[in-house]
Amino acid sequence: MRVWAGRPYPLGANWDGAGVNFALFSENATKVELCLFDSGDSLSESSRIELPEQTDQVWHGYFPELRPGQLYGYRVYGPYDPVHGMRFNSNKLLLDPYAKAIGRDLYWHDSVFGYEVGSKNEDLSFDARDSAPYAPLALVVEEAYTWGDDRSPRTPWHNTIIYELHVKGFTQLMPGVPDKLRGTYAGLASAAAIDHLKKLGVTAVELMPIHHHVDEHGLHLRGKTNYWGYNTLAYFAPSVRFSSVRHPLFAAHEFKSMVRTLHASGIEVILDVVYNHTAEGNQLGPTLSLRGIDNTAYYRLTGDNSRYYMDFSGCGNTLNMRHPRVLQLVMDSLRYWVTEMHVDGFRFDLASALARELYEVDKLGAFFDIIHQDPVLSRVKLIAEPWDVGPGGYQVGNFPTGWTEWNGKYRDCMRRFWRGDGGTIGETATRLTGSSDLYAHSGRRPYASVNFITCHDGFTLHDLVSYEHKHNEANGEDNRDGANDNHSSGYGAEGETSDPAINRVRMRQMRNLMGTLLLSQGVPMIYSGDEIGQTQRGNNNAYCHDNSLSWVDWSLLEKEKDWFEFVRKLIKIRKSQPALRRRRFFSGQGIRGENVKDVYWLSSEGHEISGDYWNHDSVRCFGMLMAGDVEEFDEVGNAIRGDNLLVLFNAGTTPVSFQYPVAGPAGPSMDLMIDTARPHAVHVAFDAVHPYPLEDRSLALFRWKPATPEIS
C-alpha cells in the first residue's frame, strides 16, 4: 500500500476526497504504526504500516488508496516504565483520540490491560498479549451533511429555560415515538418528543453525555452498565448506542438531523461533556488510548511517584490540562461539535478539574483564557459544574465572565427552606434574586446562575419530598454510593404511602419547589420527568440502571395531568413577566429616579423587612414585591415593562394571615396567579381590607398592572 509523508495537521484521520491523512501526537513515542482492519470481526489487522514522518511530535502519513469506512487503530512504541509514568506497550491496539466514529466497541478481556491482571506486581508487570481482537476500532468518516437553512435559536440567557434529559431515558417509553426510534437521537427529534418539549415551554435541552463511552470494568463484572455515560473514551464520536441504525457512519448523520429538527422548533441543544477524566481509570485501568499513546503527556501524574495519577474527578485520573496538546484536543473537540454538529453550548462536568493549573484551582487558567479568545466557542453557551472532588474544588461563584454555573448553593438553600429549616430566609432572598453574592463581584449577571432543585445526580423531585434517606441497594454497592445529605423529607412516611394527608403535603411541596425555581432570577433548569412526577423509588444515584428505574414513565402524564399543567402554567408566567427575567441584579434603589424601588422584602405584617429580622431562626414567612418596570430596553430601544409581582412564601407548618403591603407601589388590589395550596383557585383578589390567608407550606403569586407613565 502506498504511503506518503502527509501532514501533521489536522490531527486524526481526515478524508480529503482523494485519500486519508493520519496524524497522531506523541512526544515520547519511538515509533507509531497504523493498523488497518477489514471488518469489526477481524481478530487482527490486515495491514500494519509505520507512519513515515514526525513533525513537532506529531506522527503522520497520507494513504491515497484509503476511503471513508476504513477501520483502524494504532500501535505506539516506547519505554514501559510505570514508576516514571511511561506505559507504552505496542501489544495493545489503541484508539485514535480524534476518532469521529467508533467502528467496533470494546470487548472486555484481560489482554486490554497493559499489565498482567492478577500479578502480585500489579501494574509494574508487563502483559505481552495482543489486544487487537478486543480493542475498540476507529472508523474513517465522510463528514458531508446538508444543513439547509439551519440556524441556532440563540435564545438570550435571561430567556433560557433548560431541560436536562437522557436521550434514551426520555424517549424509550414515550407514546407516539415509533418503536424503532425509541431511545435514539431520531426519537428525540420525533413529533411526540418535540410536541412535549414545546408544550412544556422549555427553550433548550441539555443532553447527558452522548460522546462514546465505555462501561467501567467493575460494572461489567457486576453485569451492569454506565447508563449515564460519564466515562468518555472518544471526544469526537457520537455514541452509536443512541442511533436508530446501529452503524457508526449513521450515528453522526442522525445526531445532526436531530439538532436540525430541534433548532427548527426553537430549541437549543447543549451537550454535557466530560473532559476532566477518561475511561482509562487509574494505574490499574485498561490501556485503550491516551495511556498507551503518551501517558505522561495526557494525564496528571503525582509528583513523587509518576506511577500514580492525580485524581480530581473521583474516577481514577485527570486530564493534563497544563499540556498544550491536551488543551488542543479539548478545544478541537469543542469546536468540532459547534462547527460540524451545530450544538449551541456545553455543560462541563466537574469543571473545577479543568482549572487546576498546578494543584490549586485557578479561575484564570489556560483553559479559560483559550475559550475566551476563541471566535467560535466564546459565542456559545458555557455552563460549569463548578466543583470537583479535590481539595478546594468547590468553586461556585468563582468562574470567570462568559460562564454560567450550576448553582449548588441555590439547590441546597431552597431544599432547606421548604423543608422548614430555620435561619434560611436571608439566604433564600439572595438566591431568589440571582445570587448577587456569588456573581456580581466579577461583573456577571443574574443569568450566571443556573438554578436547579433536582438533576440527574440525586433524587427526582417526587423522591425529594417522599424519602428521608437514599435507597440505592439496587446499585450493588451496599447503599454506600450517592449523597447522604439530600435536605429531603418524607413528611411522615418513607417512600410511597396511601395516607392522603401526607400525599397532599408532598404534592404541595413539589408545587412550592417548582414554583420557586421558575419565579427566581437566573436560568431555571428542570430535570426530565419531574414535570410528571417521575420516581426512582428513592435511588439518588441511578447511574447504572438502563431500565425502567431511570427511563421516564410517561404513563404518569395522564395520572399527573394537573401537576403537568401547573408546571406549564409557571413556565408561561415566567415567559410573560419581564420582572422574572431581569438582566441586571436588583439594586433596592428607586426606579428612573422615582420614589419606588425595584424590589421590596415584606414581613407578614406588610412592612418592609430590615435588620435582625433576616436572622431570626423562627421566621419561615416573608414576601417579595417586584416592580414590573425593569429599567431595560429591547433590541429596538423600547422600554420593557410588565406587571408588578408579589410573591408570598410560607415554609412554616402553620397558616399566616399576610397583610397587604404597606411598602411599595401597591394598587387598590392584586389578582392571584398562583397559590400552591389552592392550585385551582381563580379570580381571587388581595386588597388592603382583607389579609391573605396564606396556608402552611405554600407559595402565592399576585400581579397588578403598574401605572402607565405619561408621555410628554
Side-chain angles (χ1 to χ4, degrees):
M1 179 177 294
R2 290 185 298 164
V3 55
W4 302 339
R7 304 174 302 279
Y9 185 84
L11 292 165
N14 291 278
W15 159 252
D16 63 6
V20 181
N21 191 80
F22 292 86
L24 179 74
F25 161 75
S26 178
E27 66 182 358
N28 293 301
T30 58
K31 183 172 71 171
V32 174
E33 292 175 336
L34 176 69
C35 300
L36 305 177
F37 289 76
D38 292 336
S39 74
D41 297 326
S42 299
L43 300 181
S44 62
E45 57 266 46
S46 57
S47 300
R48 186 189 297 194
I49 308 103
E50 182 177 348
L51 292 183
E53 292 290 338
Q54 184 199 41
T55 304
D56 297 332
Q57 300 172 338
V58 174
W59 303 78
H60 54 91
Y62 183 85
F63 295 75
E65 275 93 18
L66 295 184
R67 298 290 183 268
Q70 176 64 57
L71 293 164
Y72 72 98
Y74 290 109
R75 295 187 188 273
V76 181
Y77 293 75
Y80 187 82
D81 184 6
V83 171
H84 295 96
M86 300 290 186
R87 295 182 180 271
F88 294 101
N89 186 338
S90 60
N91 299 295
K92 309 306 168 186
L93 191 77
L94 305 174
L95 185 70
D96 183 357
Y98 279 73
K100 296 182 176 70
I102 306 302
R104 185 182 74 190
D105 208 348
L106 168 70
Y107 293 90
W108 279 110
H109 186 269
D110 285 354
S111 66
V112 301
F113 293 83
Y115 63 94
E116 294 180 358
V117 176
S119 168
K120 64 179 181 180
N121 294 322
E122 295 185 321
D123 60 302
L124 298 180
S125 63
F126 183 83
D127 188 278
R129 287 176 293 179
D130 187 0
S131 68
Y134 311 100
L137 299 177
L139 190 75
V140 179
V141 301
E142 164 61 74
E143 298 180 42
Y145 179 81
T146 303
W147 282 99
D149 59 353
D150 177 69
R151 288 186 179 88
S152 169
R154 293 197 176 278
T155 306
W157 264 123
H158 68 289
N159 290 333
T160 298
I161 302 172
I162 298 173
Y163 186 81
E164 187 194 23
L165 64 84
H166 186 281
V167 170
K168 182 174 183 180
F170 180 73
T171 61
Q172 184 67 24
L173 302 177
M174 179 175 271
V177 176
D179 289 346
K180 65 179 181 179
L181 302 185
R182 292 179 183 271
T184 69
Y185 304 121
L188 181 53
S190 68
I194 297 290
D195 286 349
H196 179 80
L197 295 170
K198 292 185 68 175
K199 187 175 183 181
L200 184 60
V202 297
T203 69
V205 290
E206 182 176 302
L207 309 185
M208 291 172 65
I210 56 85
H211 288 167
H212 177 80
H213 83 281
V214 299
D215 300 330
E216 293 88 338
H217 191 231
L219 283 176
H220 169 74
L221 294 176
R222 284 162 33 208
K224 294 187 178 296
T225 62
N226 188 326
Y227 167 71
W228 284 355
Y230 292 90
N231 202 42
T232 305
L233 183 62
Y235 290 119
F236 292 78
S239 178
V240 179
R241 65 181 173 143
F242 299 134
S243 178
S244 61
V245 177
R246 293 303 177 94
H247 190 283
L249 289 177
F250 193 81
H253 185 279
E254 186 171 323
F255 180 90
K256 292 174 181 178
S257 295
M258 175 198 73
V259 171
R260 187 178 63 184
T261 302
L262 286 164
H263 281 177
S265 299
I267 299 171
E268 293 181 304
V269 179
I270 299 169
L271 298 188
D272 194 338
V273 290
V274 188
Y275 294 108
N276 55 77
H277 76 281
T278 77
E280 291 186 298
N282 63 14
Q283 73 277 6
L284 299 179
T287 296
L288 304 174
S289 183
L290 303 180
R291 172 173 284 136
I293 294 170
D294 201 325
N295 188 59
T296 60
Y298 282 106
Y299 291 116
R300 296 287 299 272
L301 307 178
T302 57
D304 54 341
N305 188 342
S306 294
R307 173 186 177 186
Y308 301 108
Y309 296 80
M310 298 182 76
D311 182 10
F312 299 120
S313 66
C315 300
N317 64 55
T318 304
L319 273 180
N320 183 15
M321 300 298 288
R322 298 176 300 175
H323 196 292
R325 289 294 190 177
V326 179
L327 281 170
Q328 180 186 1
L329 170 66
V330 174
M331 297 300 291
D332 286 349
S333 168
L334 291 170
R335 277 190 292 266
Y336 176 79
W337 286 97
V338 175
T339 59
E340 295 295 330
M341 308 298 252
H342 286 207
V343 303
D344 305 287
F346 304 95
R347 178 264 188 190
F348 292 81
D349 181 66
L350 299 180
S352 292
L354 304 176
R356 292 182 180 270
E357 287 289 275
L358 295 173
Y359 185 72
E360 300 295 333
V361 175
D362 178 6
K363 71 175 182 178
L364 299 178
F367 175 69
F368 301 114
D369 292 341
I370 294 172
I371 289 267
H372 285 170
Q373 61 79 40
D374 189 278
V376 174
L377 300 178
S378 60
R379 299 187 179 194
V380 302
K381 285 183 162 71
L382 302 171
I383 306 171
E385 183 185 34
W387 49 78
D388 63 22
V389 301
Y394 193 77
Q395 292 292 314
V396 175
N398 289 332
F399 278 69
T401 55
W403 286 76
T404 65
E405 302 175 17
W406 271 25
N407 191 343
K409 291 188 177 182
Y410 178 96
R411 172 199 60 202
D412 295 344
C413 176
M414 294 311 178
R415 289 183 176 193
R416 292 179 60 238
F417 171 74
W418 282 113
R419 190 174 63 174
D421 294 8
T424 59
I425 69 163
E427 184 182 2
T428 299
T430 302
R431 302 292 161 246
L432 283 168
T433 53
S435 297
S436 60
D437 61 326
L438 300 176
Y439 305 115
H441 68 278
S442 60
R444 289 192 282 173
R445 300 293 184 91
Y447 48 76
S449 178
V450 175
N451 302 325
F452 64 106
I453 303 295
T454 59
C455 64
H456 70 272
D457 190 2
F459 282 140
T460 66
L461 185 59
H462 171 279
D463 292 357
L464 182 67
V465 300
S466 302
Y467 292 89
E468 191 88 26
H469 308 287
K470 66 183 182 183
H471 294 271
N472 298 352
E473 292 81 5
N475 296 1
E477 300 176 42
D478 298 322
N479 206 34
R480 296 188 304 270
D481 61 308
N484 293 315
D485 189 5
N486 299 283
H487 308 299
S488 62
S489 177
Y491 300 98
E494 184 71 2
E496 300 304 315
T497 179
S498 58
D499 187 314
I502 293 175
N503 284 328
R504 278 195 297 271
V505 171
R506 290 176 175 178
M507 183 78 322
R508 189 181 300 180
Q509 289 290 64
M510 286 175 62
R511 289 193 286 265
N512 290 333
L513 289 161
M514 186 66 77
T516 303
L517 174 66
L518 288 162
L519 298 178
S520 296
Q521 303 298 322
V523 179
M525 184 183 79
I526 300 169
Y527 181 50
S528 64
D530 276 351
E531 74 275 23
I532 60 171
Q534 175 78 5
T535 178
Q536 292 175 173
R537 301 192 287 277
N539 192 315
N540 75 347
N541 189 33
Y543 76 102
C544 57
H545 291 280
D546 187 1
N547 52 44
S548 59
L549 184 73
S550 293
W551 301 339
V552 176
D553 179 6
W554 293 104
S555 69
L556 292 168
L557 186 56
E558 183 63 30
K559 176 184 174 184
E560 303 293 346
K561 184 185 300 183
D562 288 347
W563 165 240
F564 176 69
E565 291 301 326
F566 179 82
V567 178
R568 285 187 66 208
K569 182 178 181 180
L570 283 168
I571 291 175
K572 286 182 178 179
I573 290 172
R574 180 179 183 85
K575 288 182 171 182
S576 68
Q577 297 296 337
L580 300 175
R581 297 176 285 108
R582 293 175 57 94
R583 286 175 283 182
R584 294 185 295 176
F585 289 107
F586 289 106
S587 66
Q589 305 299 315
I591 298 174
R592 305 186 195 278
E594 300 177 6
N595 192 29
V596 175
K597 295 190 294 187
D598 52 11
V599 65
Y600 294 82
W601 300 101
L602 307 170
S603 69
S604 58
E605 291 78 28
H607 297 287
E608 200 166 358
I609 294 174
S610 62
D612 291 340
Y613 190 94
W614 290 113
N615 302 318
H616 287 173
D617 189 68
S618 60
V619 176
R620 304 287 189 278
C621 180
F622 68 96
M624 177 185 183
L625 191 158
M626 293 171 279
D629 184 349
V630 296
E631 294 189 286
E632 296 172 5
F633 299 89
D634 62 19
E635 292 80 0
V636 294
N638 297 317
I640 298 174
R641 292 187 176 92
D643 297 334
N644 295 324
L645 301 177
L646 173 66
V647 192
L648 308 181
F649 302 89
N650 181 14
T653 56
T654 56
V656 172
S657 293
F658 209 105
Q659 299 294 324
Y660 194 77
V662 175
S669 66
M670 299 176 243
D671 295 325
L672 179 69
M673 299 182 78
I674 292 286
D675 186 335
T676 58
R678 307 175 181 86
H680 302 295
V682 293
H683 306 304
V684 177
F686 181 21
D687 57 43
V689 177
H690 306 98
Y692 188 76
L694 188 62
E695 294 294 333
D696 59 289
R697 295 190 178 110
S698 71
L699 173 157
L701 170 68
F702 298 86
R703 70 174 175 182
W704 72 100
K705 297 286 184 184
T708 302
E710 294 183 4
I711 301 175
S712 58

